[in-house]
Amino acid sequence: MKVKELTEILEGSVVYGMDFLDREVYTACGSDMMSDVLAFVKEQAVMLTGLVNPQVVRTAEMMDMKCIVFVRGKKPDLGMIELAEEREIVLIQTELEMFTACGKLYQAGLRGGSGK
Amino acid sequence: MSELNFKYDVLKDDFTCAGEASGKIKRTLKDLGFDSNLIRNIAIAVYEGEINMVIHADGGVITCDIAPECITVVLDDKGPGIPDVELAMQAGYSTAPDNVRQLGFGAGMGLPNIKKYTDDMKIETQVGVGTKITLKFMVK
Ligand SMILES: Nc1ncnc2c1ncn2[C@@H]1O[C@H](COP(=O)(O)OP(=O)(O)O)[C@@H](O)[C@H]1O
Ligand SMILES: [Mg+2]
């Protein structure tokens, strides 16, 4: 699905990356533990997280992710937004909690990467 | 391609900049045209190592040697050293304080993650002196 569609499904708003909403994403992961995210790489394009700090953006950068979704109404700060701009990573915000956000995206066809 | 060499300083307790060096190495390798899977493996391993230098040591220096058949990254710090390397390598073992867990690290998965993404990993460490981790990535 496109990032635009993902944002609609999550009733979310775009914090950064209006120019990249046509990006196609097929896989996602949800975690507040960045080492967990880093442990299972398989082309996950989207990370859902309730964690808010620059290392979330750095983790997405190392993993070549295209989009970060902040759940439970968490808001990235200016430093994080600037970092995301430099790395061209879309930031989405939703009021939904993690379980619900993941469930909705799964139902709409997104899958977890088949981590090794 | 001749051999290239880069050096990056990592600062202690700087949670905002932690990851800068790994990101730079990643972008350099990308500019040089290396395979994206290889680059990602290197970026992840070096990033975990960089985070460790920030949270467990007093910062340090990361050097990256790029040769046609092998990329070598050395993470060198003057921190407290690792008393029991075998224990530190176990998944789940961590001495990280709570504020580190709030960053999304400190689950004791850093060193195992590094090993997983690296073709060869060597840890030289001495308590009270520092830790030097040498990582080799084969270019296929
Ligand atoms: N550079 C380092 N200097 C001193 N101790 C380290 C260093 N790197 C790792 N360690 C020790 O090894 C443990 C395990 O490291 P790691 O697997 O990365 O887990 P974590 O960083 O989540 O604690 C750390 O908790 C720490 O005690
Ligand atoms: Mg670690």
Side-chain angles (χ1 to χ4, degrees), chain A residues 32-44 51-56 58-59 61-64 83 86-87 116, chain B residues 15-20 22-23 26-27 36-37 40 43-44 47-48 51 101-105 107 109-110 113 116-117:
Chain A
D32 289 354
M33 181 49 73
M34 293 304 109
S35 280
D36 263 340
V37 176
L38 291 163
F40 302 106
V41 95
K42 264 302 176 211
E43 311 285 343
Q44 291 108 335
L51 194 68
V52 184
N53 70 56
Q55 298 314 324
V56 175
R58 304 264 189 206
T59 298
E61 175 193 1
M62 302 311 157
M63 305 281 285
D64 299 316
L83 203 55
E86 282 169 30
R87 311 297 189 250
K116 66 171 183 180
Chain B
F15 298 123
T16 307
C17 290
E20 269 302 305
S22 312
K26 183 169 197 262
R27 288 190 294 281
S36 61
N37 286 316
R40 189 166 47 207
I44 294 171
Y47 179 49
E48 286 278 15
I51 293 280
R101 260 173 282 277
Q102 281 154 23
L103 286 178
F105 291 91
M109 293 175 65
N113 270 356
K116 177 171 166 179
Y117 291 110

Side-chain angles (χ1 to χ4, degrees), chain B residues 56-123:
Chain B
H56 301 298
D58 301 325
V61 176
I62 300 179
T63 50
C64 179
D65 278 287
I66 302 169
E69 68 291 342
C70 178
I71 294 166
T72 309
V73 179
V74 178
L75 305 132
D76 201 352
D77 70 60
K78 303 261 176 292
I82 306 174
D84 186 341
V85 174
E86 207 181 312
L87 184 63
M89 285 299 301
Q90 283 178 19
Y93 176 81
S94 175
T95 60
D98 276 345
N99 68 321
V100 166
R101 260 173 282 277
Q102 281 154 23
L103 286 178
F105 291 91
M109 293 175 65
L111 292 175
N113 270 356
I114 295 172
K115 190 173 171 61
K116 177 171 166 179
Y117 291 110
T118 311
D119 291 308
D120 188 60
M121 174 184 188
K122 187 173 82 182
I123 302 181

Side-chain angles (χ1 to χ4, degrees), chain A residues 45-77:
Chain A
V46 182
M47 166 169 39
L48 294 93
T49 187
L51 194 68
V52 184
N53 70 56
Q55 298 314 324
V56 175
V57 185
R58 304 264 189 206
T59 298
E61 175 193 1
M62 302 311 157
M63 305 281 285
D64 299 316
M65 287 176 168
K66 298 188 170 90
C67 173
I68 303 171
V69 177
F70 296 95
V71 299
R72 279 183 268 125
K74 297 287 172 74
K75 292 179 177 57
D77 65 21

Side-chain angles (χ1 to χ4, degrees), chain A residues 77-93:
Chain A
D77 65 21
L78 199 62
M80 293 172 66
I81 296 171
E82 281 170 7
L83 203 55
E85 269 180 54
E86 282 169 30
R87 311 297 189 250
E88 297 191 344
I89 298 168
V90 181
L91 303 182
I92 306 289
Q93 193 191 321

